[in-house]
Amino acid sequence: MSEINTERINGSRSFEEQVFARFDAVDRRFDGIEVRIERLEMKQLDTKPIWEQALIAIAETNAAMRNGFAIVGNAIDQINARLDVMDKRFDNVDARFEAIDKRFDGVDAGFETLSTELNDGLRGVERKIEVLNQDLLELKADQRYVDSRLQKIESGSKPS
């Protein structure tokens, strides 16, 4: 029985037919693979324009960023130039304040000298007023003495 089955399987076709059938099957598989490769290549070709567009968009973005950075850099340069001008103005103001400070140092020294002279002058006036008061008191005392003697003289020489 087993020989009969083997004969039927192998006996229905010759060896050459079987080999050619195998070659045909391999050819069909290769054809299928070629179709699949063609489809993949078509997809790759379809995505190529997308990549080209993406690269163009990236290049445009880079150019826009460079322009933006250049604009910001120019603005910063202008601000720095203005700040430099302001620094110079403040340097002039600082120099003026230093000159004013020196003048005030001279004024302060003048006030100290004036204050010392005024204090000395007032002490001199104070001493003179003390001397004047003392002389005035002595004069009053002398006047009282003279007045009291004059009264004694007038009261003792009354004519009768």
Side-chain angles (χ1 to χ4, degrees):
M1 254 188 160
S2 68
E3 289 179 18
I4 297 173
N5 285 337
T6 307
E7 268 181 37
R8 253 193 283 162
I9 295 173
N10 289 337
S12 60
R13 290 166 84 190
S14 69
F15 176 74
E16 292 160 350
E17 287 177 348
Q18 287 178 3
V19 169
F20 286 129
R22 289 268 187 162
F23 280 134
D24 289 340
V26 169
D27 278 345
R28 281 192 302 274
R29 287 183 75 189
F30 277 131
D31 288 341
I33 290 173
E34 283 181 7
V35 168
R36 288 176 68 191
I37 288 174
E38 284 177 7
R39 285 183 192 157
L40 289 174
E41 286 177 347
M42 291 301 284
K43 280 186 179 180
Q44 182 184 12
L45 292 176
D46 286 345
T47 59
K48 189 174 184 179
I50 294 171
W51 280 107
E52 289 174 350
Q53 290 174 357
L55 290 174
I56 290 170
I58 290 170
E60 289 173 355
T61 302
N62 285 342
M65 287 177 61
R66 283 189 194 107
N67 288 338
F69 287 140
I71 291 169
V72 169
N74 290 337
I76 289 172
D77 290 342
Q78 289 175 355
I79 290 170
N80 283 336
R82 288 181 181 172
L83 288 175
D84 289 342
V85 168
M86 290 176 69
D87 280 344
K88 289 178 184 175
R89 287 183 180 170
F90 280 121
D91 288 342
N92 291 339
V93 169
D94 286 342
R96 288 180 183 170
F97 276 121
E98 287 176 11
I100 289 171
D101 282 344
K102 287 179 184 177
R103 286 182 184 171
F104 276 119
D105 289 342
V107 170
D108 286 343
F111 276 127
E112 282 185 38
T113 303
L114 181 62
S115 175
T116 303
E117 289 175 4
L118 184 61
N119 285 336
D120 291 345
L122 288 176
R123 284 192 188 111
V125 169
E126 184 181 356
R127 283 190 302 266
K128 289 177 182 176
I129 289 175
E130 281 181 31
V131 168
L132 189 61
N133 279 337
Q134 191 172 359
D135 287 348
L136 187 62
L137 286 174
E138 286 178 13
L139 186 61
K140 284 235 179 204
D142 288 345
Q143 184 180 3
R144 282 190 183 163
Y145 174 73
V146 170
D147 281 343
S148 69
R149 281 193 66 189
L150 186 61
Q151 276 183 352
K152 279 186 190 179
I153 293 176
E154 287 180 350
S155 62
S157 67
K158 280 189 187 177
S160 350

